[in-house]
Amino acid sequence: PGIPGKMLVLVVGDFHIPHRAYSIPAKFKKLLVPGKIQHILCTGNLVTKETLEFLRGIASDVHVVKGDFDEGDYPDQKVINMGSFKIGLCHGHQIVPWGDHDSIALMQRQLDVDIMITGHTHQFEAWHSDGKFFVNPGSITGAYSPLTSATTPAFVLMDVQGSAAVTYVYQLVGDEVKVDKVEYKKA
Protein backbone atom coordinates (compact mmCIF):
# COMPACT_ATOMS: atom_id res chain seq x y z
CA PRO A 1 0.00 0.00 0.00
CA GLY A 2 2.65 2.52 -1.04
CA ILE A 3 2.31 5.45 -3.40
CA PRO A 4 1.77 4.26 -7.02
CA GLY A 5 3.19 5.46 -10.34
CA LYS A 6 6.28 7.43 -11.25
CA MET A 7 7.71 9.52 -8.45
CA LEU A 8 10.47 12.02 -8.10
CA VAL A 9 11.87 12.01 -4.58
CA LEU A 10 14.24 14.64 -3.20
CA VAL A 11 16.70 13.12 -0.73
CA VAL A 12 18.39 15.86 1.21
CA GLY A 13 19.85 16.82 4.58
CA ASP A 14 22.45 18.43 6.80
CA PHE A 15 21.49 22.04 6.01
CA HIS A 16 22.95 23.53 9.23
CA ILE A 17 21.51 26.98 8.39
CA PRO A 18 22.39 29.48 9.87
CA HIS A 19 25.11 28.03 12.12
CA ARG A 20 27.48 26.39 9.63
CA ALA A 21 26.12 27.62 6.30
CA TYR A 22 24.48 30.81 5.10
CA SER A 23 22.02 29.26 2.64
CA ILE A 24 21.37 26.64 -0.01
CA PRO A 25 23.59 27.37 -3.05
CA ALA A 26 21.70 29.48 -5.64
CA LYS A 27 22.44 26.97 -8.41
CA PHE A 28 20.69 24.27 -6.34
CA LYS A 29 17.73 26.51 -5.44
CA LYS A 30 17.04 27.03 -9.16
CA LEU A 31 16.65 23.27 -9.59
CA LEU A 32 14.37 22.77 -6.59
CA VAL A 33 11.16 24.28 -7.89
CA PRO A 34 7.60 23.45 -6.81
CA GLY A 35 5.55 21.07 -8.95
CA LYS A 36 8.30 18.71 -10.12
CA ILE A 37 9.10 16.75 -6.96
CA GLN A 38 6.41 14.64 -5.27
CA HIS A 39 8.15 13.60 -2.04
CA ILE A 40 11.01 14.73 0.16
CA LEU A 41 13.05 12.49 2.44
CA CYS A 42 15.18 14.59 4.76
CA THR A 43 18.01 13.15 6.87
CA GLY A 44 17.68 15.99 9.38
CA ASN A 45 19.74 18.89 10.70
CA LEU A 46 17.31 21.39 9.22
CA VAL A 47 17.99 23.36 12.42
CA THR A 48 15.30 26.03 11.71
CA LYS A 49 11.57 26.09 10.90
CA GLU A 50 12.38 28.24 7.83
CA THR A 51 14.26 25.34 6.25
CA LEU A 52 11.27 23.03 6.82
CA GLU A 53 8.97 25.64 5.25
CA PHE A 54 11.32 25.87 2.26
CA LEU A 55 11.01 22.08 1.77
CA ARG A 56 7.22 22.22 2.14
CA GLY A 57 7.20 24.82 -0.63
CA ILE A 58 8.80 22.26 -2.98
CA ALA A 59 6.56 19.27 -2.15
CA SER A 60 3.69 18.73 0.27
CA ASP A 61 4.87 15.26 1.33
CA VAL A 62 7.92 15.87 3.52
CA HIS A 63 9.43 13.17 5.77
CA VAL A 64 12.05 14.31 8.29
CA VAL A 65 14.11 12.46 10.88
CA LYS A 66 15.86 14.14 13.78
CA GLY A 67 19.45 15.25 13.36
CA ASP A 68 21.77 15.92 16.30
CA PHE A 69 21.17 19.70 15.89
CA ASP A 70 17.38 19.55 15.43
CA GLU A 71 15.03 20.64 18.19
CA GLY A 72 11.82 19.83 16.33
CA ASP A 73 9.60 16.91 17.20
CA TYR A 74 10.95 14.51 14.58
CA PRO A 75 11.37 10.72 14.94
CA ASP A 76 14.88 9.21 15.14
CA GLN A 77 14.07 6.89 12.27
CA LYS A 78 11.24 6.26 9.87
CA VAL A 79 10.13 3.71 7.27
CA ILE A 80 8.30 5.02 4.20
CA ASN A 81 6.59 2.91 1.52
CA MET A 82 7.10 4.25 -1.99
CA GLY A 83 5.97 2.22 -4.96
CA SER A 84 7.34 -1.27 -4.43
CA PHE A 85 10.09 -0.02 -2.09
CA LYS A 86 10.38 0.17 1.66
CA ILE A 87 12.73 3.06 2.43
CA GLY A 88 14.46 3.54 5.78
CA LEU A 89 15.42 7.03 6.90
CA CYS A 90 17.77 7.94 9.76
CA HIS A 91 20.07 10.90 10.35
CA GLY A 92 23.04 8.69 11.19
CA HIS A 93 24.61 10.23 14.30
CA GLN A 94 23.16 7.24 16.17
CA ILE A 95 25.12 4.81 13.99
CA VAL A 96 28.58 4.06 15.39
CA PRO A 97 31.14 4.36 13.90
CA TRP A 98 29.67 7.25 11.88
CA GLY A 99 29.16 6.37 8.22
CA ASP A 100 30.29 2.77 8.74
CA HIS A 101 28.76 0.58 6.01
CA ASP A 102 28.43 -2.53 8.21
CA SER A 103 26.69 -0.57 10.99
CA ILE A 104 24.33 1.07 8.46
CA ALA A 105 23.58 -2.38 6.95
CA LEU A 106 22.68 -3.63 10.43
CA MET A 107 20.11 -0.83 10.77
CA GLN A 108 18.82 -1.62 7.26
CA ARG A 109 18.20 -5.23 8.34
CA GLN A 110 16.55 -4.15 11.61
CA LEU A 111 14.18 -1.84 9.71
CA ASP A 112 13.75 -4.49 6.97
CA VAL A 113 14.01 -1.98 4.11
CA ASP A 114 15.11 -2.12 0.45
CA ILE A 115 16.72 1.32 0.48
CA MET A 116 18.47 2.80 3.52
CA ILE A 117 19.05 6.56 3.62
CA THR A 118 21.36 8.14 6.20
CA GLY A 119 23.21 11.44 6.55
CA HIS A 120 25.46 13.04 9.17
CA THR A 121 28.84 12.58 7.42
CA HIS A 122 28.17 15.46 4.95
CA GLN A 123 29.66 13.24 2.21
CA PHE A 124 27.57 11.86 -0.66
CA GLU A 125 27.69 8.08 -0.98
CA ALA A 126 25.63 5.45 -2.79
CA TRP A 127 26.34 1.75 -2.73
CA HIS A 128 24.75 -1.68 -3.24
CA SER A 129 25.14 -4.50 -0.74
CA ASP A 130 23.32 -7.85 -0.49
CA GLY A 131 20.65 -6.75 -2.98
CA LYS A 132 19.89 -3.59 -1.00
CA PHE A 133 20.68 0.04 -1.81
CA PHE A 134 22.26 2.64 0.49
CA VAL A 135 22.32 6.41 0.00
CA ASN A 136 23.82 9.31 1.90
CA PRO A 137 22.80 12.56 0.16
CA GLY A 138 25.60 14.55 1.80
CA SER A 139 25.02 18.17 2.87
CA ILE A 140 23.02 20.39 0.50
CA THR A 141 24.81 23.50 1.80
CA GLY A 142 28.26 21.92 1.98
CA ALA A 143 28.23 22.68 5.69
CA TYR A 144 31.42 22.17 7.70
CA SER A 145 31.84 18.71 9.21
CA PRO A 146 34.40 17.65 11.82
CA LEU A 147 34.67 14.36 9.89
CA THR A 148 36.18 15.86 6.73
CA SER A 149 38.26 18.86 5.72
CA ALA A 150 36.37 19.63 2.48
CA THR A 151 32.64 19.22 1.97
CA THR A 152 31.04 19.31 -1.48
CA PRO A 153 27.43 20.61 -1.47
CA ALA A 154 25.17 17.77 -2.67
CA PHE A 155 21.63 16.46 -2.85
CA VAL A 156 19.94 13.48 -4.49
CA LEU A 157 16.90 13.09 -6.74
CA MET A 158 15.52 9.57 -6.86
CA ASP A 159 13.27 8.61 -9.76
CA VAL A 160 11.13 5.73 -8.46
CA GLN A 161 9.28 3.65 -11.07
CA GLY A 162 8.03 0.15 -10.36
CA SER A 163 10.92 -1.93 -9.04
CA ALA A 164 13.60 0.52 -10.22
CA ALA A 165 15.04 3.55 -8.44
CA VAL A 166 17.33 5.71 -10.54
CA THR A 167 19.35 8.00 -8.32
CA TYR A 168 20.82 11.26 -9.57
CA VAL A 169 23.35 13.00 -7.35
CA TYR A 170 23.83 16.72 -7.83
CA GLN A 171 27.15 18.10 -6.58
CA LEU A 172 28.40 21.67 -6.70
CA VAL A 173 32.04 21.38 -7.75
CA GLY A 174 33.62 24.82 -7.87
CA ASP A 175 30.91 26.81 -9.63
CA GLU A 176 29.49 23.93 -11.66
CA VAL A 177 26.66 21.52 -10.94
CA LYS A 178 27.79 17.98 -11.77
CA VAL A 179 25.27 15.16 -12.04
CA ASP A 180 25.97 11.44 -11.66
CA LYS A 181 23.55 8.52 -11.97
CA VAL A 182 23.32 5.32 -9.91
CA GLU A 183 20.68 2.68 -10.66
CA TYR A 184 19.05 0.19 -8.31
CA LYS A 185 16.64 -2.54 -9.31
CA LYS A 186 14.84 -4.53 -6.66
CA ALA A 187 15.49 -8.26 -7.02
Side-chain angles (χ1 to χ4, degrees), residues 142-154:
Y144 159 81
S145 165
L147 303 175
T148 177
S149 55
T151 311
T152 302

PDB file of all heavy atoms in Angstrom, residues 142-154:
ATOM      1  N   GLY A 142      26.817  22.117   1.874  1.00  0.00           N
ATOM      2  CA  GLY A 142      28.262  21.917   1.978  1.00  0.00           C
ATOM      3  C   GLY A 142      28.770  22.364   3.334  1.00  0.00           C
ATOM      4  O   GLY A 142      29.910  22.802   3.484  1.00  0.00           O
ATOM      5  N   ALA A 143      27.895  22.233   4.336  1.00  0.00           N
ATOM      6  CA  ALA A 143      28.233  22.685   5.690  1.00  0.00           C
ATOM      7  C   ALA A 143      29.476  21.979   6.220  1.00  0.00           C
ATOM      8  O   ALA A 143      29.727  20.814   5.914  1.00  0.00           O
ATOM      9  CB  ALA A 143      27.052  22.433   6.628  1.00  0.00           C
ATOM     10  N   TYR A 144      30.226  22.699   7.032  1.00  0.00           N
ATOM     11  CA  TYR A 144      31.423  22.166   7.700  1.00  0.00           C
ATOM     12  C   TYR A 144      31.080  20.885   8.455  1.00  0.00           C
ATOM     13  O   TYR A 144      30.021  20.772   9.063  1.00  0.00           O
ATOM     14  CB  TYR A 144      31.959  23.226   8.674  1.00  0.00           C
ATOM     15  CG  TYR A 144      32.833  22.648   9.758  1.00  0.00           C
ATOM     16  CD1 TYR A 144      34.174  22.354   9.509  1.00  0.00           C
ATOM     17  CD2 TYR A 144      32.313  22.368  11.017  1.00  0.00           C
ATOM     18  CE1 TYR A 144      34.962  21.796  10.488  1.00  0.00           C
ATOM     19  CE2 TYR A 144      33.100  21.811  12.012  1.00  0.00           C
ATOM     20  CZ  TYR A 144      34.430  21.520  11.743  1.00  0.00           C
ATOM     21  OH  TYR A 144      35.208  20.956  12.708  1.00  0.00           O
ATOM     22  N   SER A 145      31.978  19.935   8.422  1.00  0.00           N
ATOM     23  CA  SER A 145      31.838  18.713   9.208  1.00  0.00           C
ATOM     24  C   SER A 145      33.171  18.395   9.861  1.00  0.00           C
ATOM     25  O   SER A 145      34.216  18.478   9.217  1.00  0.00           O
ATOM     26  CB  SER A 145      31.447  17.545   8.304  1.00  0.00           C
ATOM     27  OG  SER A 145      31.658  16.325   8.985  1.00  0.00           O
ATOM     28  N   PRO A 146      33.148  18.020  11.157  1.00  0.00           N
ATOM     29  CA  PRO A 146      34.404  17.654  11.816  1.00  0.00           C
ATOM     30  C   PRO A 146      35.002  16.364  11.239  1.00  0.00           C
ATOM     31  O   PRO A 146      36.147  16.037  11.490  1.00  0.00           O
ATOM     32  CB  PRO A 146      34.007  17.465  13.281  1.00  0.00           C
ATOM     33  CG  PRO A 146      32.532  17.305  13.284  1.00  0.00           C
ATOM     34  CD  PRO A 146      32.001  17.983  12.069  1.00  0.00           C
ATOM     35  N   LEU A 147      34.214  15.639  10.425  1.00  0.00           N
ATOM     36  CA  LEU A 147      34.670  14.360   9.885  1.00  0.00           C
ATOM     37  C   LEU A 147      35.501  14.503   8.612  1.00  0.00           C
ATOM     38  O   LEU A 147      36.141  13.560   8.179  1.00  0.00           O
ATOM     39  CB  LEU A 147      33.467  13.458   9.579  1.00  0.00           C
ATOM     40  CG  LEU A 147      32.513  13.162  10.734  1.00  0.00           C
ATOM     41  CD1 LEU A 147      31.324  12.368  10.249  1.00  0.00           C
ATOM     42  CD2 LEU A 147      33.237  12.421  11.845  1.00  0.00           C
ATOM     43  N   THR A 148      35.465  15.686   7.983  1.00  0.00           N
ATOM     44  CA  THR A 148      36.179  15.858   6.726  1.00  0.00           C
ATOM     45  C   THR A 148      36.645  17.303   6.576  1.00  0.00           C
ATOM     46  O   THR A 148      36.012  18.213   7.094  1.00  0.00           O
ATOM     47  CB  THR A 148      35.288  15.465   5.527  1.00  0.00           C
ATOM     48  OG1 THR A 148      36.023  15.718   4.326  1.00  0.00           O
ATOM     49  CG2 THR A 148      34.001  16.242   5.481  1.00  0.00           C
ATOM     50  N   SER A 149      37.734  17.503   5.866  1.00  0.00           N
ATOM     51  CA  SER A 149      38.256  18.863   5.717  1.00  0.00           C
ATOM     52  C   SER A 149      37.501  19.638   4.639  1.00  0.00           C
ATOM     53  O   SER A 149      37.288  20.834   4.756  1.00  0.00           O
ATOM     54  CB  SER A 149      39.740  18.821   5.384  1.00  0.00           C
ATOM     55  OG  SER A 149      39.954  18.023   4.242  1.00  0.00           O
ATOM     56  N   ALA A 150      37.082  18.947   3.562  1.00  0.00           N
ATOM     57  CA  ALA A 150      36.373  19.631   2.482  1.00  0.00           C
ATOM     58  C   ALA A 150      35.024  18.962   2.237  1.00  0.00           C
ATOM     59  O   ALA A 150      34.955  17.742   2.113  1.00  0.00           O
ATOM     60  CB  ALA A 150      37.205  19.588   1.216  1.00  0.00           C
ATOM     61  N   THR A 151      33.973  19.752   2.198  1.00  0.00           N
ATOM     62  CA  THR A 151      32.640  19.215   1.966  1.00  0.00           C
ATOM     63  C   THR A 151      32.093  19.779   0.661  1.00  0.00           C
ATOM     64  O   THR A 151      32.093  20.990   0.466  1.00  0.00           O
ATOM     65  CB  THR A 151      31.690  19.603   3.127  1.00  0.00           C
ATOM     66  OG1 THR A 151      32.321  19.296   4.358  1.00  0.00           O
ATOM     67  CG2 THR A 151      30.393  18.844   3.057  1.00  0.00           C
ATOM     68  N   THR A 152      31.634  18.898  -0.213  1.00  0.00           N
ATOM     69  CA  THR A 152      31.041  19.312  -1.480  1.00  0.00           C
ATOM     70  C   THR A 152      29.530  19.376  -1.309  1.00  0.00           C
ATOM     71  O   THR A 152      28.914  18.374  -0.918  1.00  0.00           O
ATOM     72  CB  THR A 152      31.378  18.283  -2.591  1.00  0.00           C
ATOM     73  OG1 THR A 152      32.804  18.183  -2.692  1.00  0.00           O
ATOM     74  CG2 THR A 152      30.793  18.696  -3.933  1.00  0.00           C
ATOM     75  N   PRO A 153      28.899  20.537  -1.575  1.00  0.00           N
ATOM     76  CA  PRO A 153      27.433  20.610  -1.473  1.00  0.00           C
ATOM     77  C   PRO A 153      26.795  19.573  -2.402  1.00  0.00           C
ATOM     78  O   PRO A 153      27.219  19.422  -3.548  1.00  0.00           O
ATOM     79  CB  PRO A 153      27.109  22.029  -1.945  1.00  0.00           C
ATOM     80  CG  PRO A 153      28.375  22.806  -1.729  1.00  0.00           C
ATOM     81  CD  PRO A 153      29.480  21.822  -1.973  1.00  0.00           C
ATOM     82  N   ALA A 154      25.793  18.831  -1.879  1.00  0.00           N
ATOM     83  CA  ALA A 154      25.171  17.771  -2.672  1.00  0.00           C
ATOM     84  C   ALA A 154      23.740  17.504  -2.233  1.00  0.00           C
ATOM     85  O   ALA A 154      23.375  17.743  -1.081  1.00  0.00           O
ATOM     86  CB  ALA A 154      25.997  16.486  -2.559  1.00  0.00           C
TER      87      ALA A 154
END
